[in-house]
Amino acid sequence: SLKDKLGAAGGPMTDAQRRYLFRILAGRGVPSEPAHEFLKDLFGVPSLKEVTKDDASTVIDQLLKDPEMGKVSRDGTPVH
């Protein structure tokens, strides 16, 4: 299918993208472990290894547009 072809062409998220996602969340007070769970949930994947470059860049854009996204709520979990 076209999506498969595009997904394959997009390839997996880069280390730089991954680091950037964690850095954005760290800046919002989210420690590494909750950030990891938040991102898996957000991307709907069991492992961040399954995230594509395209999906990563979409989420980076969303996080940058919405300063509240990912911020830690009072109980310590990131807000979707």
Side-chain angles (χ1 to χ4, degrees):
S1 77
L2 183 62
K3 188 169 178 5
D4 289 342
K5 283 196 188 79
L6 289 173
M13 162 168 72
T14 66
D15 281 347
Q17 284 178 311
R18 185 188 166 102
R19 282 195 304 269
Y20 192 39
L21 284 163
F22 278 92
R23 204 160 59 234
I24 294 168
L25 291 169
R28 294 175 189 184
V30 186
S32 176
E33 198 48 47
H36 194 232
E37 292 306 312
F38 169 73
L39 291 169
K40 285 196 302 192
D41 203 33
L42 196 60
F43 286 112
V45 294
S47 161
L48 292 183
K49 290 186 185 78
E50 295 180 31
V51 177
T52 64
K53 268 194 265 204
D54 288 350
D55 286 347
S57 83
T58 301
V59 166
I60 287 168
D61 287 347
Q62 285 175 338
L63 282 166
L64 295 175
K65 278 197 199 96
D66 181 1
E68 293 303 307
M69 188 177 167
K71 269 208 176 144
V72 180
S73 63
R74 268 194 289 270
D75 66 358
T77 54
V79 177
H80 287 66

